[in-house]
Amino acid sequence: NAGVTQTPKFQVLKTGQSMTLQCAQDMNHNSMYWYRQDPGMGLRLIYYSASEGTTDKGEVPNGYNVSRLNKREFSLRLESAAPSQTSVYFCASSEALLAGALGETQYFGPGTRLLVL
Amino acid sequence: AQSVTQLDSQVPVFEEAPVELRCNYSSSVSVYLFWYVQYPNQGLQLLLKYLSGSTLVKGINGFEAEFNKSQTSFHLRKPSVHISDTAEYFCAVSDYRSGAGSYQLTFGKGTKLSVIP
């Protein structure tokens, strides 16, 4: 039982390049989330998905797209990377049928460290 | 939307000494509060959460937190810290976003706990 896995662990991009961050969970969870973590800022929600085929914007969605490929996988795409997207990206999942339901515990992956030059 | 304030960005403490990490949130009719811990180069994991009932909540690794509605606080405490408690701690509140029609976690900016041998 691996929990939440993310690939790659590290990535360096040049401005304007694109890439996709992959996330998978093996806990049969319904909801999945993408956050970014910046020094002194805590975690901010980029996008989330309550179920396969549905996605919704979070607090900081600009410059990102997501795909909920199936119940297990939720990918985050940067179409044209910018230095402001340098960050650590975390994927999380929860059992809740309604994303963000009261009291739910979210389970986090180990993160992807992205540097955009 | 809720806001979460962690009053100390860094807290150094000697091993076996007690520690308190402070968290305040903006007022609401009802709140659901969490503490997550992030060990170096890892994702976040749940320490404890308050949903209802007893205002003193016990979590993993000997941590506990007290919900104080009148002071809108949810401070985290441990009576005797260990070197292995060195980590960053995040307070979070479950917040209903009317625009999104769902609850989302709002995180504080984090408190780095450094345990000194």
Side-chain angles (χ1 to χ4, degrees):
Chain A
N1 195 345
V4 180
T5 58
Q6 294 183 235
T7 56
K9 290 185 179 180
F10 305 95
Q11 184 70 48
V12 178
L13 291 178
K14 294 181 180 178
T15 297
Q17 287 184 317
S18 62
M19 78 162 295
T20 300
L21 283 66
Q22 306 287 354
C23 173
Q25 51 91 9
D26 62 2
M27 297 175 282
N28 200 35
H29 283 171
N30 294 293
S31 298
M32 297 185 74
Y33 310 81
W34 276 106
Y35 292 91
R36 60 177 290 173
Q37 182 183 30
D38 302 293
M41 296 291 289
L43 274 76
R44 292 180 291 170
L45 183 64
I46 305 171
Y47 271 94
Y48 65 97
S49 168
S51 62
E52 182 180 349
T54 68
T55 60
D56 288 285
K57 294 179 180 180
E59 183 182 352
V60 288
N62 293 342
Y64 305 95
N65 287 301
V66 291
S67 295
R68 182 76 181 268
L69 305 169
N70 47 55
K71 193 171 185 179
R72 290 187 63 249
E73 298 172 290
F74 188 37
S75 63
L76 178 72
R77 182 161 179 83
L78 286 69
E79 291 290 351
S80 179
S84 61
Q85 294 178 304
T86 292
S87 187
V88 182
Y89 291 86
F90 288 100
C91 177
S93 70
S94 70
E95 192 173 359
L97 289 172
L98 174 63
L102 254 56
E104 64 167 358
T105 296
Q106 294 189 16
Y107 296 84
F108 287 79
T112 294
R113 284 153 181 78
L114 175 66
L115 173 63
V116 183
L117 300 174
Chain B
Q2 287 274 358
S3 64
V4 178
T5 302
Q6 292 184 241
L7 295 161
D8 304 296
S9 59
Q10 298 188 53
V11 173
V13 62
F14 286 106
E15 192 174 16
E16 298 184 5
V19 69
E20 178 180 80
L21 305 183
R22 297 178 293 168
C23 173
N24 287 89
Y25 59 93
S26 54
S27 176
S28 180
V29 175
S30 60
V31 291
Y32 303 89
L33 296 154
F34 306 77
W35 276 98
Y36 280 84
V37 60
Q38 183 180 29
Y39 297 105
N41 298 313
Q42 295 186 26
L44 280 71
Q45 62 183 87
L46 183 71
L47 260 184
L48 49 81
K49 61 184 177 182
Y50 171 78
L51 303 181
S52 64
S54 172
T55 58
L56 185 63
V57 181
K58 294 189 182 300
I60 62 172
N61 301 337
F63 283 93
E64 62 182 30
E66 186 161 17
F67 170 60
N68 188 319
K69 188 174 182 178
S70 63
Q71 297 186 9
T72 61
S73 68
F74 190 54
H75 300 334
L76 181 70
R77 301 186 183 101
K78 186 170 182 177
S80 176
V81 296
H82 190 267
I83 293 288
S84 60
D85 293 323
T86 294
E88 191 161 16
Y89 293 78
F90 292 93
C91 183
V93 61
S94 185
D95 173 30
Y96 185 75
R97 309 290 175 87
S98 57
S102 70
Y103 289 88
Q104 295 176 12
L105 280 181
T106 298
F107 286 88
K109 295 183 178 181
T111 297
K112 290 185 178 178
L113 174 64
S114 299
V115 180
I116 305 162

